[in-house]
């Protein structure tokens, strides 16, 4: 009950934050001369939402119980990480326009927590080596997912500018240079975290290529190579624009298939098939 109340309160404050940012973006569109001069009134509700959100996830830990790591819990955790990273970045750079996309997905993850709940059988002791590995992995996925969203906005902005349609929402975004700088900064941080995640996995997991985790390991390694190749291409050949966007989307798609895809299939498809088989027998 307590977790649901915290989740509902978090949704309310996320919505308030989203409305404030949306109204500020509309104000910037209508008054381009005053762009960037609006006060950041979304800070307080966003911060409160983040605190309530993480408290709702960690209710079991506060009660001395292990933390569930089902597909639903992981999704909520990842969206919290992404929201936190975006919130921190808005302190130094005016990229709150990303929140118009991120916050609705964050709210959706909370709604799923309330309606579906988490799997009490999939629990992890966060003080163990495995818990540390999972947290690092979550942070890596969160950073690279945010990079994926950033790449989508960058592609849209690039297309509008080339077609000389710098109007509406696109006008509120930072310059292409700042957008690309932020994108590659995220990718660099994400690759570092993903490297630590893979190394810690080899150290803490008995069999990283076992039946249940082999696909995750292989896809994570492929994703690491894609993002690393993109960074090297940026340094050596100056890759940017469409090339950067395509490689970012490809790298994250592979990573998401290994992380979210496998969890979703195991929990919602295979489990349902097992239940149907059991009923029919």
């Amino acid at each position: 009950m307590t977790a649901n109340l915290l989740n509902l309160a978090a949704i309310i404050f996320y919505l308030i934050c989203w409305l404030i940012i949306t109204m500020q973006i509309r104000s910037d569109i209508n008054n381009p001369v005053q762009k960037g001069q609006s006060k950041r009134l979304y800070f307080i509700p966003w911060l409160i939402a983040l605190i309530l959100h993480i408290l709702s996830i960690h209710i079991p830990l506060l009660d001395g119980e292990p933390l569930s790591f089902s597909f639903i819990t992981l999704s909520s955790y990842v969206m919290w990480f992404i929201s936190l990273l975006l919130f921190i970045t808005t302190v130094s750079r005016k990229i709150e326009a990303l929140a118009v996309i991120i916050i609705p997905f964050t709210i959706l993850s909370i709604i799923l927590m309330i309606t579906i709940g988490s799997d009490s059988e999939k629990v992890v002791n966060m003080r163990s080596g495995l818990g540390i590995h999972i947290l690092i992995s979550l942070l890596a996925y969160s950073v690279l997912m945010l990079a994926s969203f950033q790449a989508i906005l960058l592609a849209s902005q690039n297309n509008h500018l080339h077609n000389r349609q710098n109007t509406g929402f696109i006008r509120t975004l930072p310059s292409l240079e700042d957008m690309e700088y932020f994108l590659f900064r995220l990718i660099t941080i994400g690759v570092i975290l993903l490297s630590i995640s893979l190394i810690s996995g080899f150290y803490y997991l008995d069999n990283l290529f076992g039946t249940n985790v082999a696909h995750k390991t292989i896809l994570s390694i492929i994703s690491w190579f894609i993002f690393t190749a993109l960074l090297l291409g940026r340094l050596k050949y100056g890759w940017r624009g469409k090339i950067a966007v395509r490689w970012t989307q490809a790298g994250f798609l592979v990573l998401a298939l290994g992380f979210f895809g496998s969890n979703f299939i195991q929990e919602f498809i295979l489990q349902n098939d097992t239940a149907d088989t059991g009923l029919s027998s």
Side-chain angles (χ1 to χ4, degrees):
M1 180 63 71
T2 304
N4 285 339
L5 289 176
L6 289 172
N7 280 323
L8 288 173
I11 289 175
I12 292 172
F13 279 99
Y14 274 130
L15 282 174
I16 293 173
C17 174
W18 185 86
L19 288 172
I20 292 174
I21 293 175
T22 302
M23 288 188 293
Q24 288 187 356
I25 289 175
R26 287 183 178 179
S27 177
D28 289 341
I29 292 173
N30 296 328
N31 302 286
V33 177
Q34 298 180 355
K35 176 185 174 182
Q37 297 179 7
S38 56
K39 295 181 180 179
R40 297 179 177 180
L41 302 176
Y42 54 82
F43 269 3
I44 299 298
W46 198 346
L47 179 60
I48 294 174
L50 287 167
I51 294 172
L52 293 170
H53 189 176
I54 197 63
L55 283 176
S56 69
I57 297 175
H58 282 83
I59 283 292
L61 289 181
L62 298 176
D63 296 334
E65 301 175 3
L67 185 63
S68 170
F69 267 87
S70 63
F71 172 81
I72 299 300
T73 306
L74 287 175
S75 300
S76 186
Y77 223 130
V78 166
M79 292 313 303
W80 178 83
F81 267 130
I82 293 174
S83 298
L84 176 64
L85 289 170
L86 185 58
F87 173 79
I88 293 173
T89 307
T90 57
V91 175
S92 58
R93 291 182 176 271
K94 188 173 174 59
I95 58 167
E96 61 271 13
L98 275 173
V100 175
I101 301 174
I102 299 298
I103 289 180
F105 281 101
T106 307
I107 292 174
L108 176 61
S109 72
I110 299 176
I111 293 174
L112 291 176
M113 282 283 290
I114 296 174
T115 56
I116 299 178
S118 58
D119 189 349
S120 59
E121 295 181 0
K122 294 189 174 184
V123 294
V124 174
N125 183 358
M126 297 309 297
R127 297 177 182 176
S128 65
L130 178 59
I132 295 173
H133 164 71
I134 290 176
L135 280 178
I136 296 173
S137 299
L138 283 174
L139 190 54
Y141 294 137
S142 301
V143 173
L144 293 173
M145 182 183 285
L146 184 55
S148 179
F149 281 116
Q150 172 74 358
I152 293 173
L153 278 181
L154 179 61
S156 178
Q157 183 182 22
N158 197 27
N159 289 334
H160 278 76
L161 290 177
H162 275 87
N163 295 327
R164 297 183 179 181
Q165 297 176 345
N166 188 21
T167 58
F169 176 75
I170 299 299
R171 188 190 298 168
T172 67
L173 297 175
S175 65
L176 276 176
E177 291 76 13
D178 285 342
M179 292 283 282
E180 284 193 348
Y181 170 82
F182 181 53
L183 173 63
F184 281 97
R185 185 180 181 184
L186 287 173
I187 293 173
T188 301
I189 296 172
V191 168
I192 293 173
L193 290 170
L194 186 57
S195 301
I196 298 173
S197 169
L198 290 170
I199 293 171
S200 63
F202 279 107
Y203 183 80
Y204 289 116
L205 295 178
D206 294 332
N207 187 3
L208 201 57
F209 290 95
T211 305
N212 295 328
V213 294
H215 52 289
K216 292 184 180 180
T217 303
I218 294 171
L219 291 173
S220 295
I221 292 174
I222 293 174
S223 178
W224 182 89
F225 275 110
I226 293 174
F227 282 116
T228 302
L230 173 57
L231 292 178
L232 292 175
R234 167 78 166 181
L235 290 174
K236 189 172 182 179
Y237 304 109
W239 288 356
R240 55 194 299 250
K242 292 182 179 179
I243 295 178
V245 170
R246 289 170 182 169
W247 280 69
T248 302
Q249 296 297 342
F252 179 72
L253 177 61
V254 173
L255 194 64
L257 286 174
F259 183 64
F260 287 111
S262 59
N263 279 61
F264 181 82
I265 291 172
Q266 288 176 6
E267 290 189 32
F268 295 97
I269 298 179
L270 295 181
Q271 187 176 6
N272 289 337
D273 287 345
T274 303
D276 293 340
T277 303
L279 289 173
S280 61
S281 60

